[in-house]
Amino acid sequence: MGGLLVGLVGIVVLGGGCERRSRSGNAGPQGTPPGPTPKHISWDAQFEMTEEGRPRAVLRASRMEQYQTDDSTYSVWRSMNDTLRVRVYLFDEQGDSSATVTADSLVFQEQKGVLDAYNDVVVTTEDKRLESEHLTWQQADRRIRTRRFVRIRTPTEVVQGNGLVADENLETYQLGRFEAEVEMDEAENAGRDGG
């Protein structure tokens, strides 16, 4: 477990600005109870994680909101328009780039090392592209998961199904109910048919 402990380098907040809000006891419209209010809002935000001095993950978004409840602290990262997406850059154990995740929004539970990406989620690696509407990344075991529909494209195949457990670099993965389309080389296929 000691190898999985992560040293956080810090939060880097770039550009635009920062806003701090205090909790308010005011009720919402027509007396409805208020929803959670962000404790802190940052614009053009970036958060960097390291593991044993090497980069582990970098989160970037147009807007980041920090929330604190009685039992947890979490942040919500959002894109503020269609052209800017939330981005997460993941790095392998050697500190090399392993995957990039883009989404419309994500929720990051820093203490648990869990990130949930939502809406038009795309994971790209050197030779694969994964698409889904929701993914969960767990820092401790370097895996991504979903119970929803997922499609993985490589240069030679398209695999899709419901449910996924995968390494963050998509080298190995397990799909629930799935179907696949595989391109076969005609010469290779003729050799199998005996022709």
Side-chain angles (χ1 to χ4, degrees), residues 11-188:
I11 298 176
V12 179
V13 180
L14 304 172
C18 193
E19 179 179 328
R20 185 168 182 83
R21 294 185 179 183
S22 61
R23 290 185 180 258
S24 162
N26 297 338
Q30 300 176 353
T32 59
T37 302
K39 180 180 174 185
H40 179 86
I41 298 174
S42 296
W43 300 94
D44 296 325
Q46 177 170 309
F47 179 78
E48 299 176 2
M49 289 187 289
T50 64
E51 187 174 84
E52 298 177 1
R54 291 183 299 276
R56 182 65 190 101
V58 176
L59 283 65
R60 290 185 183 156
S62 309
R63 177 181 168 110
M64 185 274 294
E65 304 162 358
Q66 283 185 324
Y67 294 87
Q68 187 168 0
T69 63
D70 293 339
D71 59 351
S72 70
T73 301
Y74 62 95
S75 56
V76 178
W77 298 69
R78 304 178 194 274
S79 59
M80 299 308 293
N81 61 49
D82 292 338
T83 59
L84 296 175
R85 313 263 339 269
V86 177
R87 295 194 182 279
V88 180
Y89 302 96
L90 301 176
F91 300 88
D92 65 17
E93 293 173 349
Q94 289 74 40
D96 297 326
S97 176
S98 63
T100 300
V101 180
T102 57
D104 288 342
S105 64
L106 62 88
V107 175
F108 179 52
Q109 300 174 62
E110 181 181 341
Q111 293 168 331
K112 294 180 180 179
V114 175
L115 183 148
D116 284 288
Y118 295 96
N119 300 325
D120 196 18
V121 181
V122 177
V123 179
T124 54
T125 66
E126 188 174 314
D127 61 347
K128 293 181 182 74
R129 177 184 172 94
L130 179 148
E131 300 166 355
S132 187
E133 287 302 309
H134 172 253
L135 284 178
T136 299
W137 170 72
Q138 294 189 342
Q139 175 182 347
D141 66 5
R142 298 178 178 272
R143 296 205 181 275
I144 55 176
R145 295 171 170 83
T146 188
R147 292 183 178 178
R148 298 205 185 155
F149 177 80
V150 64
R151 177 178 292 126
I152 299 174
R153 297 177 191 271
T154 71
T156 59
E157 68 181 2
V158 176
V159 180
Q160 57 191 33
N162 291 309
L164 168 86
V165 176
D167 294 337
E168 66 189 21
N169 61 5
L170 303 178
E171 286 299 315
T172 61
Y173 52 86
Q174 297 174 334
L175 287 171
R177 291 187 329 245
F178 73 93
E179 47 186 72
E181 296 175 21
V182 180
E183 271 186 41
M184 305 233 3
D185 185 357
E186 286 185 35
E188 183 180 320

